[in-house]
Structures are given as C-alpha cells and as structure tokens.
Amino acid sequence: MLISHVVRHHVLHVTLHRDLDVTNRAAVALQIQALVQMLRPTRVTVALPAVDPTPATLSALARAHRMCASLDIPLTLRGASARTRGLLDVTAE
C-alpha cells in the first residue's frame, strides 16, 4: 500500500507510506486525484515519509497540487522541509 487516507471535518488527510519512484508516482497521483474528485474536501493534507522526498514523490505532489489548485482546494504538507514546501509553493500543517 502506497497511501492511506482519512477524512475528518471535510479535510482529506493523505499519508504516503514511502518515497515514490518512477514506477509508482503516476499511480499515487491518480489515487489522490480520484479521492479529491470523489470526496470534494475543503482542504487536503499530505503527510510525507521524508522531509526531503525523492524527485518522483515531488512529481506526484506537484501534480496533486496543480489539480487541487484548479479546484480551489488548498493543499498542505506535513513532515516536509521548508525547501520542499518552497519547491511546491505550499504551506506546512
């Protein structure tokens, strides 16, 4: 299992259980996209497995961030370094 999720008070909390690689980044991005489209949360938080994730993890997060932004849904990161948040232009939780 690459991710798990829970919804509390209309907030989608996603946990990445390990850093992604090129073989699974698209699958995770699609899973997050499907959850957001199905649940229509007011906000999405993503808990990362490392403060400085792999490029593949960043790629999946960037895709999720763009999709959330297009729906006016804020995306925040937990467990990310300031550098990582800056790369994605997101805030910390």
Side-chain angles (χ1 to χ4, degrees), residues 20 22 25-26 29 53-66 88:
L20 305 176
V22 230
R25 70 179 173 191
T54 62
T57 301
L58 288 173
S59 173
L61 290 172
R63 185 171 167 181
H65 180 255
R66 284 190 305 273
L88 297 173

Side-chain angles (χ1 to χ4, degrees), residues 9-89:
H9 307 290
H10 304 287
V11 177
L12 172 62
H13 300 275
V14 177
T15 301
L16 281 129
H17 295 288
R18 64 184 172 98
D19 259 331
L20 305 176
D21 56 35
V22 230
T23 62
N24 54 23
R25 70 179 173 191
V28 167
L30 287 172
Q31 287 176 347
I32 294 171
Q33 180 178 349
L35 287 168
V36 170
Q37 289 177 338
M38 178 178 63
L39 300 169
R40 294 294 179 167
T42 58
R43 188 167 47 110
V44 176
T45 66
V46 179
L48 300 179
V51 293
D52 289 314
T54 62
T57 301
L58 288 173
S59 173
L61 290 172
R63 185 171 167 181
H65 180 255
R66 284 190 305 273
M67 187 264 310
C68 286
S70 74
L71 298 171
D72 291 324
I73 299 172
L75 182 136
T76 58
L77 298 178
R78 289 185 315 171
S81 68
R83 178 183 165 275
T84 299
R85 290 189 313 272
L87 287 173
L88 297 173
D89 192 30

